[in-house]
């Protein structure tokens, strides 16, 4: 039971001066972000946002999957989202490896066959981003009034660059 002791202790400290109770789940800045799970990305801070400001959906590569679309539809209709940013990043493992390479690396780590596991690698990051923005734009439940931007986050400078 000790596996999470450090994190639970940190949580006790967090809760000791907890001031976020009674907060609603609306995106107060009207922002939703789809980005990568990469630990180099601090989605709120990099956009000058704070707790409660945004809905954030993360996955490997920051792809607009059907689960991401589900989240965005909920965000737009029920949670105050008016602007959506799709933000993959430079030096992303999902764009630097082939599916085969990832399967081999995971297989080595796991000590067993991983060729059956798919990872949805990205061959052309900018083309994938364009397609992802298009997927949101063409979704029948995402109104035209919602602003959608496709960006790349540069992990070495902290800058976002708008592509679409
Ligand atoms: Zn990544």
């Amino acid at each position: 039971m000790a596996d999470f002791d450090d994190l639970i202790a940190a949580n006790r400290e967090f809760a000791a001066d907890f001031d976020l109770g009674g907060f609603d789940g609306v995106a107060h800045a009207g922002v939703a972000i789809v980005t990568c799970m990469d630990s180099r990305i601090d989605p709120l801070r990099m956009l000058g946002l704070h707790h409660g400001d945004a809905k954030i959906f993360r996955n490997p590569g920051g792809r607009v999957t059907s689960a991401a679309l589900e989240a965005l539809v909920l965000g737009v209709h029920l949670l105050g989202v008016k602007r959506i940013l799709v933000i993959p990043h430079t030096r992303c493992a999902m764009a630097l490896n082939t599916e085969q390479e990832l399967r081999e690396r995971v297989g080595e780590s796991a000590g067993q066959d991983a060729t059956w596991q798919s990872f949805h690698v990205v061959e052309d990051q900018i083309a994938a981003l364009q397609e992802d923005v298009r997927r949101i734009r063409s979704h029948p439940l995402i109104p035209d009034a919602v602003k959608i931007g496709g960006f790349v986050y540069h992990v070495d400078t902290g800058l976002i660059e708008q592509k679409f």
Side-chain angles (χ1 to χ4, degrees), residues 36-38 40 60-61 89 91-94:
C36 185
M37 65 191 276
D38 194 293
R40 289 169 289 192
H89 65 99
R91 298 206 280 125
C92 182
M94 300 306 289

Side-chain angles (χ1 to χ4, degrees), residues 69-70 73 134-144:
L69 286 169
E70 221 173 272
V73 167
R134 194 200 58 76
R135 282 194 85 194
I136 304 171
R137 175 56 66 214
S138 62
H139 194 288
L141 294 174
I142 305 280
D144 290 343

Side-chain angles (χ1 to χ4, degrees), residues 46-58:
M46 77 184 185
L47 298 174
L49 299 173
H50 301 99
H51 176 86
D53 281 346
K55 296 292 166 194
I56 302 170
F57 189 95
R58 304 184 75 157

Side-chain angles (χ1 to χ4, degrees), residues 63-64 69 72 86 126-140 142 144 148-150 164:
R63 299 304 312 279
V64 177
L69 286 169
L72 293 172
V86 184
I126 302 305
L129 176 59
Q130 186 168 28
E131 170 63 15
D132 281 351
V133 168
R134 194 200 58 76
R135 282 194 85 194
I136 304 171
R137 175 56 66 214
S138 62
H139 194 288
I142 305 280
D144 290 343
I148 304 164
F164 304 103

Side-chain angles (χ1 to χ4, degrees), residues 108-131:
E108 275 167 33
S109 169
Q112 60 174 294
D113 175 54
T115 55
W116 52 270
Q117 176 71 59
S118 59
F119 294 103
H120 301 100
V121 297
V122 179
E123 269 182 41
D124 179 335
Q125 194 177 46
I126 302 305
L129 176 59
Q130 186 168 28
E131 170 63 15

